Amino acid sequence: MANLKLIDIKKSYGKTEVIHGLDLEVLDGEFCVLVGPSGCGKSTLLRMIAGLEEITEGSILINDEIVNNISAAKRGLAMVFQSYALYPHMTVRQNLAFGLENLKLDKDDIEERITKAANQLRMEDYLKRRPGQLSGGQRQRVAIGRAIVREPSIYLFDEPLSNLDAELRVATRVELKALHARLGNTMIYVTHDQVEAMTMADKIVVMHDGIIEQTGTPLDLYNKPANLFVAGFIGSPKMNFLDSSSLPEDIKKHAPKGAVTFGIRPEHLRIQEKNALPLDVRSVEQLGSDSYLYGTTIDNQEISIKLNNQTIIKGGESVKVGFDEDNTHWFNEKGVSL
């Protein structure tokens, strides 16, 4: 196991800087998720940690040792790629053994590691198959198994579930979280899916345009977003944002000095008559136990509402919306949380 420190990490391609002086610490045994939209720099950062991409400036430390000039093969890390990267002509067993054989490990040691990984990932029944005979979820397990047999100090995952269907993604992320609990190793996981981040991470790092917007536990980021970007990125459906001048007077009087934007999550809105904001309902989604209303205010600002029940409200109707005052958020003109 290991801890990781990034100190003032920068990455440039020619004159274009894509990572802008990042500092980050991942503690021994943490499950850290780097999350952000496509192009924010999260995969580039992971590849620099792995040693697959050179850094332009700064230092990468593993267990307090600078590894900038240490090759990827000697950093003691293992990476699981989005594409699985399995050898199609080899069996699962041969795929698991290949890297270990290149390290000249003893045959008994290799067999012991393969058996252990196969048990942990419940893939004993397809060790003799080739990747083409496996489902997407099974191939992903093999890719994870190939990382496990190396017994790395840190596991790196680059969007490993993005090729799986929705149901399998849910099942596999539960398995990955359980695997982390069993192994106890440090894991760094990249995704653009904030639901994956919220459900799996001990620590979430929200990235945007090559910088870190906020780092914290899932509930820290959900309850106390540092700025408009984090508030809008974490949570599904995303937080509603309204111009503070359009709010009902009883809400407006609670605004802190300098507030220009009001934020509230869909689950913290309710239908009520008094001290409420009129809303024209555009559409309704019925999910059985929950209902989602989507509409616009008089001044054409969009609002979504989550109701924890079924509803008879239909698109085209008008309702009045009340606010849960204990769960409001305010932001200044720079988008910083107040």
Side-chain angles (χ1 to χ4, degrees):
M1 295 191 288
N3 59 64
L4 172 79
K5 290 181 184 177
L6 307 180
I7 301 174
D8 197 26
I9 298 295
K10 296 179 182 178
K11 177 64 180 179
S12 299
Y13 296 103
K15 294 182 179 180
T16 304
E17 188 172 87
V18 295
I19 302 290
H20 311 288
L22 295 186
D23 294 307
L24 176 65
E25 182 172 10
V26 181
L27 301 178
D28 187 10
E30 273 191 323
F31 197 127
C32 176
V33 176
L34 309 180
V35 66
S38 297
C40 71
K42 56 190 184 295
S43 289
T44 299
L45 185 61
L46 194 74
R47 290 176 63 84
M48 288 193 288
I49 294 169
L52 302 176
E53 190 93 43
E54 288 187 0
I55 65 172
T56 303
E57 290 184 35
S59 299
I60 298 175
L61 290 81
I62 298 174
N63 284 336
D64 300 319
E65 177 187 358
I66 295 176
V67 298
N68 293 23
N69 299 317
I70 295 177
S71 69
K74 295 181 179 179
R75 291 192 183 187
L77 314 179
M79 191 160 178
V80 178
F81 296 92
Q82 177 181 344
S83 62
Y84 313 144
L86 303 177
Y87 297 108
H89 62 288
M90 294 182 179
T91 65
V92 170
R93 181 183 294 279
Q94 289 168 334
N95 266 280
L96 296 177
F98 183 73
L100 303 180
E101 290 169 348
N102 286 342
L103 294 173
K104 309 297 184 185
L105 294 187
D106 178 82
K107 285 185 178 181
D108 290 340
D109 188 12
I110 292 174
E111 185 59 31
E112 183 179 337
R113 292 188 187 199
I114 290 173
T115 300
K116 184 178 178 182
N119 289 337
Q120 288 174 325
L121 295 170
R122 302 174 185 88
M123 58 183 190
E124 304 98 320
D125 293 340
Y126 46 91
L127 286 174
K128 294 180 180 179
R129 299 184 199 173
R130 287 185 170 81
Q133 299 171 301
L134 305 178
S135 67
Q138 289 170 334
R139 288 196 294 270
Q140 186 58 75
R141 285 189 186 187
V142 177
I144 295 169
R146 196 168 55 183
I148 288 175
V149 296
R150 292 186 57 191
E151 299 182 351
S153 57
I154 300 176
Y155 290 85
L156 307 176
F157 296 90
D158 191 6
E159 306 221 30
L161 309 186
S162 59
N163 290 332
L164 305 180
D165 62 46
E167 184 178 353
L168 196 51
R169 274 204 306 273
V170 173
T172 307
R173 77 182 185 220
V174 170
E175 288 183 1
L176 270 176
K177 186 64 177 174
L179 179 66
H180 175 254
R182 292 197 299 271
L183 296 177
N185 290 62
T186 308
M187 293 186 176
I188 303 173
Y189 185 104
V190 160
T191 182
H192 64 277
D193 186 336
Q194 57 90 21
V195 175
E196 280 184 24
M198 289 291 291
T199 54
M200 298 175 73
D202 300 320
K203 175 187 287 180
I204 295 178
V205 179
V206 181
M207 293 184 63
H208 181 222
D209 290 342
I211 66 169
I212 292 175
E213 294 281 0
Q214 189 174 356
T215 300
T217 68
L219 290 182
D220 281 343
L221 271 60
Y222 187 82
N223 294 325
K224 299 177 182 178
N227 52 45
L228 277 170
F229 178 81
V230 176
F233 192 82
I234 298 294
S236 181
K238 71 176 185 178
M239 184 182 289
N240 296 294
F241 298 116
L242 296 172
D243 187 321
S244 60
S245 63
S246 67
L247 297 171
E249 288 301 323
D250 67 320
I251 294 293
K252 205 182 295 185
K253 68 186 180 183
H254 294 290
K257 185 177 180 180
V260 297
T261 302
F262 170 80
I264 191 159
R265 297 197 180 278
E267 60 269 33
H268 296 146
L269 293 170
R270 56 182 177 266
I271 306 300
Q272 65 181 46
E273 284 297 317
K274 294 183 178 180
N275 298 320
L277 186 69
L279 184 74
D280 292 326
V281 180
R282 186 176 67 253
S283 63
V284 178
E285 291 180 346
Q286 298 274 15
L287 299 184
S289 60
D290 303 321
S291 304
Y292 291 87
L293 277 58
Y294 302 93
T296 53
T297 64
I298 293 173
D299 52 355
N300 211 35
Q301 298 185 84
E302 293 189 356
I303 286 184
S304 58
I305 307 170
K306 178 186 178 185
L307 303 177
N308 295 321
N309 49 43
Q310 299 176 4
T311 182
I312 60 172
I313 299 169
K314 292 181 172 57
E317 297 182 10
S318 294
V319 296
K320 290 185 178 180
V321 181
F323 303 88
D324 182 346
E325 294 180 17
D326 293 332
N327 290 289
T328 57
H329 302 264
W330 301 91
F331 306 89
N332 65 19
E333 62 181 5
K334 294 182 178 180
V336 176
S337 183
L338 296 171

